[in-house]
Amino acid sequence: GAGVSQTPSNKVTEKGKYVELRCDPISGHTALYWYRQSLGQGPEFLIYFQGTGAADDSGLPNDRFFAVRPEGSVSTLKIQRTERGDSAVYLCASSELAGGTYEQYFGPGTRLTVT
Amino acid sequence: GQNIDQPTEMTATEGAIVQINCTYQTSGFNGLFWYQQHAGEAPTFLSYNVLDGLEEKGRFSSFLSRSKGYSYLLLKELQMKDSASYLCAALSGGSYIPTFGRGTSLIVHP
């Protein structure tokens, strides 16, 4: 079956621009996570959705970052006024049930480069 | 806060056995995950332990000691395709968010 998909796979943008990264989770999965991963590091938590609501957004680094999941399926991570330090691979993951103890299925990621 | 510690890099020979260790400090504890991540690809789930002991799954086994805040991933009969980063992630009590370590890069050579 279809796994988690993310678009675009690569995004190059200039400093100061706005970007949107999209995640299509596995159909029916309740929980959705966004992470970002820099080279040589593990995934760093950004935000967690249960259904449509952001249950935990404590990982968002500042107010330039925002994410939505309006219908409880597709999610969009939005970054305003991008900075070079935002360059990383942004990973999305979903799990069948909420609760944290369930296996997460990761998408292939979006590599964001801010020049 | 949480702290996850694992070695940065390990090398091993094809056909051998390797043990990748992970120590963690969390506020409460609700389980530990291991994920495999090949270069440029998404992490994929290997195991989840919440009780003490060893869980075996084919060539891969995962061990947990809650009292010691310690886990290891054991890979047997290593194959070249096992060259990857292995991520340890701990779940604090009452949290839905696993905290990932930086990963251990395993290089398997002939």
Side-chain angles (χ1 to χ4, degrees), chain B residues 15-38:
Chain B
I17 299 173
V18 71
Q19 177 175 311
I20 302 174
N21 297 324
C22 172
T23 57
Y24 63 88
Q25 292 175 310
T26 57
S27 303
F29 179 74
N30 205 18
L32 188 130
F33 295 88
W34 284 96
Y35 283 82
Q36 179 191 59
Q37 185 175 27
H38 285 98

Side-chain angles (χ1 to χ4, degrees), chain A residues 13-67:
Chain A
T13 191
E14 291 180 350
K15 179 176 178 296
K17 300 290 188 183
Y18 167 82
V19 296
E20 289 190 354
L21 312 180
R22 176 188 167 109
C23 172
D24 278 86
I26 293 173
S27 178
H29 276 198
T30 303
L32 186 146
Y33 301 77
W34 281 99
Y35 298 88
R36 71 178 175 183
Q37 187 174 27
S38 301
L39 193 63
Q41 303 294 319
E44 172 194 2
F45 168 71
L46 295 176
I47 187 169
Y48 164 65
F49 288 89
Q50 280 187 27
T52 60
D56 188 334
D57 65 357
S58 62
L60 295 177
N62 52 59
D63 61 5
R64 296 186 296 106
F65 288 74
F66 188 70

Side-chain angles (χ1 to χ4, degrees), chain B residues 11-64:
Chain B
T11 59
T13 305
E14 193 176 15
I17 299 173
V18 71
Q19 177 175 311
I20 302 174
N21 297 324
C22 172
T23 57
Y24 63 88
Q25 292 175 310
T26 57
S27 303
F29 179 74
N30 205 18
L32 188 130
F33 295 88
W34 284 96
Y35 283 82
Q36 179 191 59
Q37 185 175 27
H38 285 98
E41 297 183 12
T44 55
F45 172 82
L46 291 177
S47 65
Y48 170 69
N49 295 62
V50 67
L51 300 176
D52 284 354
L54 184 69
E55 292 200 8
E56 300 186 64
K57 196 184 293 185
R59 294 189 299 113
F60 292 11
S61 302
S62 55
F63 171 83
L64 178 68

Side-chain angles (χ1 to χ4, degrees), chain A residues 88-104:
Chain A
V89 175
Y90 288 79
L91 294 168
C92 173
S94 69
S95 63
E96 185 176 355
L97 298 172
T101 60
Y102 301 96
E103 170 185 354
Q104 293 187 29

Side-chain angles (χ1 to χ4, degrees), chain B residues 59-78:
Chain B
R59 294 189 299 113
F60 292 11
S61 302
S62 55
F63 171 83
L64 178 68
S65 168
R66 294 174 65 130
S67 63
K68 294 180 180 176
Y70 167 68
S71 173
Y72 67 72
L73 182 69
L74 193 71
L75 293 74
K76 303 176 188 174
E77 301 168 17
L78 280 172

